[in-house]
Amino acid sequence: AAEYTGNYSNVSASFGRLVQISSAWTGAERLPVFVRQPAISPSWGVDNGLQAMLNSIYALGLSGYPFVMPAALSRGDKDDLPDPELFVRWMQLMAFFPAMHLSLAPWDYNSTVVDIGMSLMNLRDNLKDILVTTGYNAKTLGAPIVRPLWYLAPTDPAVFPISDTFMLGDNILVAPVLHPGSRSR
């Protein structure tokens, strides 16, 4: 299995600069590919919902895979659209990840969600220089792009239990809203 996965990663990387893979093996962290998080359930939970995305991106980044394609927010069991509030919070979180992947369309909801989606696209456009610089540093220095707080303050015990706030590079603190009905952090 390891040989197959390694060969798959190498062949995939040969197709170009913006390749996404869903499995990798030792050595693939050197390849110019995005590792795709698995789809998440349309929930807020830490088990396989919105909150699970953070632990997954921390683990991948700290393991040498800084270029992560965020998890797709799937439809519900009855093929229903996820709750609009959950969809908006998912888009807001992804705006600060190395890539933004919309598996559902904002216009499937309403004009408010579309407007929020457009503002997040504009925010990403404003962050592009930071994302490129942080991506370059990830490639050359091995530093994760999305960093748990303790990565920058490893001797501060106050940051160890904080798993729902992160840094984009060294300078942007991100405290996403991860609970239904919350309006701020």
Side-chain angles (χ1 to χ4, degrees):
E3 183 179 344
Y4 174 81
T5 305
N7 289 339
Y8 165 78
S9 299
N10 286 321
V11 169
S12 297
S14 71
F15 288 121
R17 294 177 25 170
L18 295 175
V19 174
Q20 166 185 265
I21 60 175
S22 57
S23 63
W25 198 255
T26 303
E29 65 276 3
R30 295 185 304 273
L31 299 173
V33 296
F34 281 87
V35 176
R36 184 172 185 258
Q37 289 179 313
I40 63 171
S41 64
S43 72
W44 296 86
V46 71
D47 53 342
N48 190 34
L50 182 67
Q51 295 177 52
M53 291 178 68
L54 286 177
N55 290 332
S56 174
I57 201 166
Y58 295 156
L60 286 165
L62 293 165
S63 298
Y65 300 97
F67 301 102
V68 178
M69 181 63 67
L73 183 63
S74 63
R75 291 178 175 261
D77 293 335
K78 298 176 184 173
D79 204 30
D80 296 330
L81 285 173
D83 175 69
E85 180 186 7
L86 177 62
F87 182 69
V88 166
R89 298 302 184 200
W90 173 72
M91 285 193 302
Q92 290 172 333
L93 178 59
M94 277 197 318
F96 294 95
F97 279 8
M100 192 167 185
H101 173 214
L102 295 177
S103 59
L104 302 171
W107 50 86
D108 287 339
Y109 289 92
N110 58 44
S111 61
T112 301
V113 174
V114 170
D115 291 344
I116 291 169
M118 290 301 297
S119 70
L120 291 168
M121 294 298 133
N122 290 331
L123 171 64
R124 274 196 70 83
D125 190 50
N126 291 331
L127 291 172
K128 68 181 172 221
D129 291 339
I130 293 166
L131 288 164
V132 168
T133 300
T134 306
Y136 177 79
N137 289 338
K139 180 182 174 199
T140 58
L141 304 175
I145 295 171
V146 174
R147 302 167 184 178
L149 296 182
W150 54 260
Y151 184 84
L152 295 175
T155 60
D156 183 354
V159 299
F160 295 160
I162 302 171
S163 62
D164 62 353
T165 302
F166 62 91
M167 299 293 293
L168 174 59
D170 289 333
N171 300 312
I172 297 179
L173 178 68
V174 181
V177 175
L178 301 172
H179 300 281
S182 298
R183 297 292 172 248
S184 64
R185 291 273 317 265

